[in-house]
Amino acid sequence: MPLPQPFTLIIPAHNEETVIARCLGTALKDAPNPDSMQIIVAANGCSDGTVETARSAAPDALILDLAEGSKTAAINAANAKAAHPVRIYLDADIECEFHSLAAIAAALNEPSVMTAAPSIHLDTSRCNMIMKAYYRAWSRQPYAKAGKGGAGCYGLTAEALKTVGEFPPIIGDDIWIHTRFPDEQKRYITHDHKGDAVISTVYPPRTATEQVKVEARRQFGNAEVRELYPSPYFAGARNGGGLKAALKSGTAPFDLIVFFGVKFLSRALSRWNRSHSKGTTWTRDMSTRQAQ
């Protein structure tokens, strides 16, 4: 079996000392050789041990220690250092094994493909009862079933990068990328050529309080992209969601109440943030960055 085409894995990281080793260790596990994947950790605005931990976890990786705390600026800096035309971007708190990353890279070498992403695996084992109910409802939403729920990982071809240019100073880099291309130029990959599952493992917030904060930031980011970078492909970004779809999905009533309650509170917080110009504050889920 031929080795996969080499690719560059870019991991933006802002104060990710507690999770960066896990992210890197998972990506490097079972990698055939160092030449198959260039890793760039774009540490940005870090005041903890992210840089040192990353260097220890991945001695062959290129670790950028950037002063500015900006995810998109970090991505741009890493793109400038990338050795391979195919790029995969992975959030530092997400796990994605090498075989899944290689499957994404393989898809990006197919004709007419511009971007690709893995299916998402939610590890809710440490979530409380409320959050487990929320994600049971979330998993039944049409956009989640279609692979549009946000896997914390996506790849771009050289042509796609040329099309979008530098990443702008925005919150939602993922929604920005997702709305730059039509669905026929995207691939959502569930299995590789051997039939193995292609996934990224996401650890959702443990509590509703953290979920509301993270969801509010996501909503702010979506609104920012919609306003500043309009696209005809927004219509498909969350197609099929909402109350009507949820009621038809067979979701348990308690789960529905939790789901829409969190959405309502998140929307209210997002609007308050926008009215008080607080949407650009770095909001992250600290519950998943605690020691297990």
Side-chain angles (χ1 to χ4, degrees):
M1 182 66 64
L3 292 176
Q5 289 290 320
F7 58 91
T8 294
L9 175 66
I10 294 174
I11 306 174
H14 172 72
N15 287 342
E16 300 286 11
E17 178 184 12
T18 59
V19 294
I20 190 64
R22 181 185 72 186
C23 175
L24 289 166
T26 303
L28 286 166
K29 184 180 179 181
D30 298 329
N33 61 69
D35 296 329
S36 59
M37 173 177 61
Q38 177 198 28
I39 297 178
I40 303 177
V41 177
N44 59 98
C46 294
S47 57
D48 64 355
T50 297
V51 171
E52 293 75 14
T53 302
R55 285 174 177 159
S56 176
D60 294 325
L62 173 60
I63 312 298
L64 304 180
D65 189 0
L66 307 168
E68 182 184 2
S70 165
K71 183 179 181 181
T72 55
I75 288 173
N76 290 333
N79 275 331
K81 300 288 186 180
H84 305 298
V86 169
R87 316 280 165 80
I88 298 176
Y89 306 88
L90 179 66
D91 288 352
D93 60 332
I94 305 298
E95 293 182 49
C96 195
E97 295 182 355
F98 177 82
H99 83 88
S100 290
L101 295 168
I104 296 168
L108 292 169
N109 283 297
E110 296 176 6
S112 77
V113 175
M114 299 288 266
T115 179
S119 58
I120 181 172
H121 168 66
L122 290 172
D123 186 333
T124 60
S125 59
R126 293 185 289 166
C127 293
N128 64 20
M129 181 186 69
I130 297 297
M131 286 314 300
K132 287 181 179 179
Y134 175 88
Y135 276 102
R136 282 196 299 267
W138 180 92
S139 66
R140 288 176 173 267
Q141 289 289 296
Y143 56 78
K145 291 181 178 180
K148 300 179 181 181
C153 177
Y154 60 85
L156 297 175
T157 65
E159 184 180 356
L161 281 166
K162 184 177 180 181
T163 299
V164 300
E166 285 200 341
F167 283 51
I170 54 175
I171 293 173
D173 63 292
D174 51 352
I175 190 66
W176 179 68
I177 287 296
H178 187 70
T179 55
R180 297 309 96 185
F181 306 103
D183 281 350
E184 57 266 25
Q185 293 182 340
K186 305 170 189 174
R187 293 293 181 273
Y188 298 100
I189 308 163
T190 59
H191 294 84
D192 64 13
H193 67 281
K194 295 187 295 184
D196 294 330
V198 174
I199 61 172
S200 64
T201 299
V202 177
Y203 297 88
R206 300 184 187 185
T207 68
T209 299
E210 292 291 343
Q211 180 66 41
V212 167
K213 293 177 183 177
V214 171
E215 176 69 12
R217 186 175 190 273
R218 185 194 66 78
Q219 291 181 11
F220 187 102
N222 289 359
E224 180 184 48
V225 171
R226 191 183 295 273
E227 179 181 329
L228 298 178
Y229 301 93
S231 165
Y233 309 124
F234 261 107
R238 290 283 176 174
N239 189 30
L243 179 60
K244 185 176 180 180
L247 291 173
K248 289 183 176 180
S249 68
T251 306
F254 176 74
D255 295 355
L256 277 179
I257 292 170
V258 170
F259 181 75
F260 284 105
V262 168
K263 291 291 186 182
F264 173 80
L265 293 173
S266 302
R267 190 171 294 112
L269 179 58
S270 177
R271 288 173 177 170
W272 188 91
N273 285 341
R274 284 178 66 83
S275 66
H276 291 76
S277 301
K278 292 183 179 292
T280 56
T281 302
W282 191 288
T283 304
R284 64 234 305 261
D285 170 29
M286 298 308 298
S287 69
T288 59
R289 289 170 171 83
Q290 299 170 4
Q292 295 189 23

